[in-house]
Amino acid sequence: MNATLGTTPHSNWQELAPLLQALGCDAKEPETWYKHHESLPEGYLILAYTQPQLALVHAMERGQEPAKALQEWEEGANALIALYKKNRRRAVLINSHTAGSNLKGLAAALSNHWNVEIPLSISADSGRERPVNPYFQLIATFAVQQNHHLTGLLSQLEACTLPVNNEETAPKTKLDINALYHGISELYQEKDRYEALTKQYESLEKENQQITQQLPKAQEELERARQQSQEQKSAFEAENQLVIEQLHLVQEELESTLQAHKNEEKATEKLSAEIDALKTTQTKADAEKKQRAEELNKLSASLKTAESQYQKSRSEAKRLQQELEQTRQQGQQGTSALEAENQLIIEQLHLVQEELERQLIHKHALENQVKELTQDQDHALAAANNQINRLQNELNRIKDSAAWKAVAPVRAMGRPFKRTPPEKRKLKKQAEQLQSTQYFDAAWYLNTYPDVAESQANPAEHYLKFGAQEGRNPGPEFDTQWYVQANPDVQESGINPLIHFLNHGQEEGRAPNPRVQNSLPSPQEAK
């Protein structure tokens, strides 16, 4: 058997559960499906309504206002009546409240109406009415009585209802439904708050009793803690006295270490002075070596010139010998004159040969002299380097000593008052200027010159100190050598080429590389 249940809103259709189970009834959304149905379900239709008073009580228990709930019930009741009238053969209209109190009678009535057997099994708890809030019941009764046009609707429902039990009529009395509902709701809310406060008070009272019971124990623990604190205080005072005595010992040790440090500083200053003197000597030796190298270059040039003259003389002698041979072949006439001329040429050749031999002897003497000077200079440099290494090792030994490390805080006290030299400040400022311009590319500089990257030097500072002098470019947009050659006044000024371009050349219209040819002539070219 197939049946579908439809009920008015806020009905207690669960009272019909045993009967619905026996009928195999579909109770899915029974309060709404029939309002906007396009096609009705197959089988029988059980259309159940609840008296408006009970529907309003159920709605108010769920927190809904009675006026709105009554309007919804009225719309649902009209829809059920219309559905019943269109489907009288397979639909029945029942009062769910009265039928729920007599399920056996309802089952018998349905069996007679549809000519079917209904195997109904009723438990002992079925048919019991749940208690109804009297305040909500009063509000519901007044609301129904005030809605006069419900009388006709109730009459239609009673006329269409399958008879099971007789229904009672509620008294009609006018009353402000919403005001009464809100007042009763506030009373119930106050009651709930009172019950919550009562429970909270009882809980606090229990906690107070527990705290009162635990108070003596806490006082005993506090007294023990006070005694332990007194004992710890005595121990701390003794330990503090011991620490003070150790601090005095440490202070005496530091004073002796400081004195030793002062002595070592004097020795270090002396070693530094000796190192500076040796560096000065080495600088002079380097200058002398450079001068002697220049003299050697000049002598080498003179020797090359003499060798060239010697080759020319030999060529001339060969030419003269060839002419002499030709002269002898011409005849015997003028033999004596030719012999005299030949003798003269031979004498000239001997003079040239003697001159060349003297030049060669002088060259060998100069080479020996340069070799001796180079050896002497190498010995002097080796001795100076040995002395520098010895002094540097001595200085490193002093810095690695425990006394030097112990007075590191004393040395650190004087460092904050040391000012940065003007050269370093200028270098730092110029490096910041380079890094802010498009003509200096640090990544390009390090990739182009790997030796700079290996030295881990700051690329901007490296270009300012060494790169420009070595002809290196700060980036792909600036050509250092071309800029100096195109502007001789830049080399005379001694200013870094890129710094000159940023501070002066750019404003004067000078080009940063040969690809840009819109620069004005330099001051030297203008002359």
Side-chain angles (χ1 to χ4, degrees):
M1 184 176 184
N2 187 13
T4 303
L5 176 66
T7 66
T8 55
H10 314 296
S11 64
N12 191 18
W13 57 270
Q14 289 81 1
E15 296 177 351
L16 306 175
L19 178 62
L20 297 176
Q21 186 176 3
L23 294 173
C25 182
D26 182 9
K28 184 178 180 181
E29 298 181 354
E31 296 180 358
T32 58
W33 67 266
Y34 58 87
K35 292 183 180 180
H36 305 288
H37 62 279
E38 295 180 356
S39 60
L40 295 176
E42 297 179 357
Y44 297 108
L45 300 177
I46 301 176
L47 307 179
Y49 69 91
T50 303
Q51 289 295 331
Q53 294 90 338
L54 293 177
L56 291 183
V57 171
H58 296 160
M60 286 185 288
E61 288 176 349
R62 298 172 184 172
Q64 190 171 354
E65 292 185 354
K68 183 178 179 181
L70 185 60
Q71 183 181 358
E72 294 175 352
W73 182 91
E74 184 178 356
E75 293 175 355
N78 286 322
L80 285 181
I81 292 173
L83 182 62
Y84 171 75
K85 289 179 179 181
K86 292 180 180 180
N87 301 273
R88 291 178 180 271
R89 292 184 178 181
R90 63 188 184 113
V92 294
L93 186 66
I94 62 175
N95 187 326
S96 62
H97 180 66
T98 56
S101 61
N102 188 8
L103 291 177
K104 292 183 178 180
L106 177 60
L110 290 175
S111 298
N112 294 330
H113 185 73
W114 286 333
N115 294 323
V116 295
E117 293 183 1
I118 301 176
L120 179 67
S121 60
I122 302 175
S123 62
D125 295 334
S126 60
R128 291 184 181 180
E129 295 186 359
R130 61 188 183 86
V132 179
N133 190 310
Y135 297 99
F136 290 166
Q137 189 175 12
L138 178 63
I139 295 172
T141 302
F142 288 158
V144 172
Q145 289 178 354
Q146 287 181 357
N147 195 339
H148 299 290
H149 63 274
L150 288 180
T151 305
L153 181 60
L154 290 172
S155 299
Q156 291 186 42
L157 288 172
E158 291 176 0
C160 298
T161 300
L162 183 69
V164 178
N165 279 339
N166 295 329
E167 300 181 18
E168 298 180 358
T169 304
K172 300 181 180 180
T173 305
K174 291 185 177 180
L175 188 63
D176 188 352
I177 305 168
N178 290 331
L180 182 59
Y181 164 72
H182 289 302
I184 295 174
S185 298
E186 290 177 0
L187 289 175
Y188 269 92
Q189 292 176 0
E190 291 293 334
K191 178 183 177 183
D192 294 338
R193 286 196 291 269
Y194 173 76
E195 291 177 354
L197 290 174
T198 303
K199 292 180 180 179
Q200 186 177 3
Y201 172 76
E202 292 175 355
S203 176
L204 293 174
E205 186 67 23
K206 291 180 180 179
E207 291 180 359
N208 188 21
Q209 292 177 359
Q210 293 177 358
I211 292 172
T212 304
Q213 294 174 359
Q214 295 175 359
L215 184 60
K217 184 178 180 181
Q219 290 178 346
E220 293 177 359
E221 293 179 355
L222 181 62
E223 182 64 22
R224 286 197 299 271
R226 187 184 65 79
Q227 294 178 357
Q228 292 178 357
S229 176
Q230 188 67 26
E231 294 175 356
Q232 290 179 354
K233 181 179 178 182
S234 302
F236 285 154
E237 289 178 353
E239 185 177 355
N240 189 23
Q241 184 65 28
L242 180 60
V243 170
I244 292 174
E245 294 176 357
Q246 292 179 351
L247 285 176
H248 285 303
L249 296 175
V250 171
Q251 184 176 5
E252 294 175 357
E253 182 66 21
L254 283 176
E255 289 177 354
S256 60
T257 304
L258 181 60
Q259 185 62 34
H261 169 65
K262 290 181 179 179
N263 296 333
E264 289 183 355
E265 280 187 343
K266 291 180 180 179
T268 303
E269 291 176 357
K270 185 177 180 182
L271 290 174
S272 299
E274 292 179 3
I275 290 173
D276 293 338
L278 288 173
K279 287 182 178 179
T280 303
T281 304
Q282 185 177 2
T283 303
K284 292 180 180 179
D286 291 340
E288 186 177 353
K289 180 179 180 180
K290 184 177 181 181
Q291 182 179 2
R292 290 181 180 179
E294 291 176 355
E295 291 178 357
L296 180 60
N297 292 333
K298 291 180 181 179
L299 292 174
S300 299
S302 300
L303 181 60
K304 289 180 180 179
T305 303
E307 288 178 351
S308 177
Q309 291 178 355
Y310 174 71
Q311 293 295 333
K312 289 180 180 180
S313 299
R314 289 186 63 184
S315 300
E316 183 67 20
K318 288 181 180 180
R319 187 182 63 80
L320 290 174
Q321 287 179 357
Q322 290 176 0
E323 290 180 357
L324 179 60
E325 185 66 25
Q326 291 176 1
T327 303
R328 286 177 180 177
Q329 292 176 0
Q330 289 177 0
Q332 295 297 326
Q333 295 179 358
T335 302
S336 55
L338 290 174
E339 288 179 357
E341 186 178 355
N342 188 23
Q343 185 66 30
L344 180 60
I345 290 172
I346 292 172
E347 291 176 358
Q348 290 178 354
L349 288 174
H350 286 303
L351 292 175
V352 170
Q353 186 175 4
E354 291 176 359
E355 181 64 25
L356 287 175
E357 290 176 355
R358 284 195 301 272
Q359 291 291 340
L360 288 173
I361 293 171
H362 183 62
K363 175 188 174 183
H364 291 306
L366 289 176
E367 288 179 350
N368 293 331
Q369 185 178 0
V370 170
K371 185 175 181 181
E372 292 176 358
L373 292 174
T374 304
Q375 291 178 354
D376 294 340
Q377 186 177 9
D378 292 339
H379 290 315
L381 287 175
N385 289 330
N386 292 332
Q387 182 68 7
I388 290 173
N389 292 332
R390 184 183 63 80
L391 295 175
Q392 187 66 39
N393 293 331
E394 183 67 18
L395 182 60
N396 293 334
R397 186 188 63 78
I398 292 174
K399 288 184 178 180
D400 293 337
S401 63
W404 179 273
K405 294 178 181 178
V407 295
V410 179
R411 294 196 305 274
M413 292 174 63
R415 291 191 188 117
F417 303 99
K418 186 177 180 180
R419 296 183 177 179
T420 305
E423 294 80 4
K424 290 187 178 179
R425 292 198 299 270
K426 181 179 179 181
L427 179 63
K428 183 178 180 182
K429 183 177 180 181
Q430 290 181 349
E432 292 175 355
Q433 184 181 5
L434 292 188
Q435 292 173 353
S436 64
T437 180
Q438 62 177 352
Y439 295 100
F440 181 80
D441 190 337
W444 181 92
Y445 192 81
L446 294 175
N447 291 332
T448 307
Y449 307 110
D451 57 318
V452 180
E454 292 177 359
S455 64
Q456 297 182 354
N458 184 288
E461 294 183 359
H462 183 275
Y463 175 75
L464 291 171
K465 294 171 65 177
F466 310 106
Q469 297 177 2
E470 296 171 356
R472 306 192 187 199
N473 296 330
E477 300 298 328
F478 189 84
D479 193 328
T480 303
Q481 293 184 355
W482 180 87
Y483 188 78
V484 172
Q485 292 175 0
N487 304 280
D489 58 312
V490 177
Q491 188 172 7
E492 295 175 359
S493 65
I495 303 176
N496 181 277
L498 183 53
I499 295 296
H500 182 277
F501 173 74
L502 295 175
N503 295 337
H504 310 288
Q506 199 169 10
E507 296 179 357
E508 297 170 358
R510 305 191 189 194
N513 56 68
R515 298 186 299 276
V516 182
Q517 295 296 335
N518 59 347
S519 63
L520 296 175
S522 64
Q524 297 293 334
E525 295 173 349
K527 295 180 180 180

